[in-house]
Amino acid sequence: MDSGNTYWDDRALLEWQVELGADDAIQDTPVDRYALVAAKPTPKAEAPQTPPAPPEPVKVDAVAEARIAAKNAADLPALAAALQGFEHCEIKRGARSCVFSDGNPAARVMIVGEPPNRDEDRAGKPFVGPAGQLLDKMLAAIDLGRAHDDPARSVYIGNVMPWRPPSNRAPDADEIAMMLPFLERHIALADPDIVVLMGNAPCQALLGRTGITRMRGTWATVLGKPCLPMFHPNYLLRNTAAKREAWADLLDLNARLEQ
């Protein structure tokens, strides 16, 4: 019988080592445990994750929205409501009132004025205060008035835009373009015989040009209707010498109505 180590001898030695507390197998060559710890690779720091970019705001075509809203207005009250609900014009946020119209909607003459000033913004009506008083006197001189029940001698008044710009500044081209569908629909629904454009802003919106001192008194066509550019009453209050030209334009307007 072989006198060397047997299976049982090896097992006995292993059990003896376990009882002594051995928990690692011993190899033929020593292992430097400190070197193993030093050589252990350092875990790579995870790169900070970039937060996802916020979604780009949806761009709204304000002019297209205005066209849709204006086209869907079947009558003047619906158009006024559409303007009240239109939220894409920043000017609206600083204005007190939506200044839509005044006078007789069935009138033969429709006056389109500049954007509302402070008095008009407070009253919610176009052409009030000193400018409105002067306009009423000018119209009365040729037997017209906003309070006339007779459409033949009454006027209907609107503005190139319904909200007062900050500090009474002039509206820019984008703001005028945004409000143009509402203005065109306003004229179409009122259906006057003659349109009077008082000031530069209405001329810019409907005729595509400015220079009221050159344009006044010269008849043009707007939406298939004859139109007459005239000085705004505010201009006449500052330049009284221009009242002579304004009087000539009023006589011309009256002659056209009597044709």
Side-chain angles (χ1 to χ4, degrees):
M1 187 173 181
D2 186 8
S3 61
N5 289 338
T6 66
Y7 165 80
W8 298 108
D9 294 334
D10 293 339
R11 179 170 179 172
L13 289 172
L14 180 62
E15 290 176 350
W16 176 71
Q17 293 176 12
V18 171
E19 289 178 359
L20 292 177
D23 55 5
D24 281 332
I26 300 175
Q27 301 178 1
D28 294 338
T29 57
V31 177
D32 186 349
R33 300 295 177 181
Y34 294 102
L36 290 178
V37 173
K40 186 177 181 180
T42 304
K44 294 182 179 180
E46 295 184 0
Q49 295 185 355
T50 304
E56 293 186 4
V58 178
K59 294 182 179 180
V60 176
D61 188 338
V63 176
E65 293 291 322
R67 288 196 190 103
I68 294 171
K71 183 179 180 180
N72 290 338
D75 52 28
L76 291 173
L79 184 64
L83 272 169
Q84 290 275 13
F86 189 74
E87 298 295 339
H88 301 300
C89 185
E90 289 297 323
I91 290 179
K92 176 182 180 180
R93 309 190 193 289
R96 177 179 299 183
S97 304
C98 179
V99 182
F100 183 65
S101 67
D102 193 21
N104 185 351
R108 293 184 63 197
V109 177
M110 180 174 180
I111 297 174
V112 180
E114 298 273 0
N117 59 25
R118 179 177 297 176
D119 292 333
E120 293 163 346
D121 183 40
R122 289 175 175 173
K125 294 172 61 175
F127 285 95
V128 298
Q133 295 168 11
L134 178 55
L135 175 64
D136 289 338
K137 292 178 180 179
M138 293 167 60
L139 296 174
I142 56 172
D143 194 26
L144 292 178
R146 68 177 95 189
H148 265 292
D149 293 329
D150 182 4
R153 305 314 301 178
S154 61
V155 296
Y156 182 58
I157 304 174
N159 283 331
V160 67
M161 59 194 327
W163 299 294
R164 177 198 175 209
S167 303
N168 289 345
R169 67 164 173 80
D172 61 34
D174 290 339
E175 292 162 345
I176 288 178
M178 191 187 306
M179 292 293 100
L180 182 57
F182 291 107
L183 177 57
E184 291 177 338
R185 186 62 174 161
H186 200 166
I187 295 172
L189 290 173
D191 195 23
D193 293 338
I194 296 174
V195 178
V196 176
L197 305 180
M198 286 191 163
N200 270 318
C203 292
Q204 179 181 353
L206 293 168
L207 297 178
R209 58 186 188 274
T210 58
I212 191 63
T213 56
R214 299 186 305 273
M215 297 170 60
R216 56 133 298 268
T218 302
W219 288 89
T221 301
V222 164
L223 304 176
K225 301 179 182 299
C227 79
L228 180 64
M230 290 183 60
F231 289 130
H232 193 280
N234 275 330
Y235 179 83
L236 298 176
L237 289 172
R238 299 191 304 267
N239 302 274
T240 56
K243 289 183 178 180
R244 178 179 299 178
E245 287 88 352
W247 174 240
D249 294 342
L250 287 170
L251 294 177
D252 198 7
L253 172 62
N254 191 52
R256 181 65 70 99
L257 287 171
E258 292 180 351
Q259 288 180 358

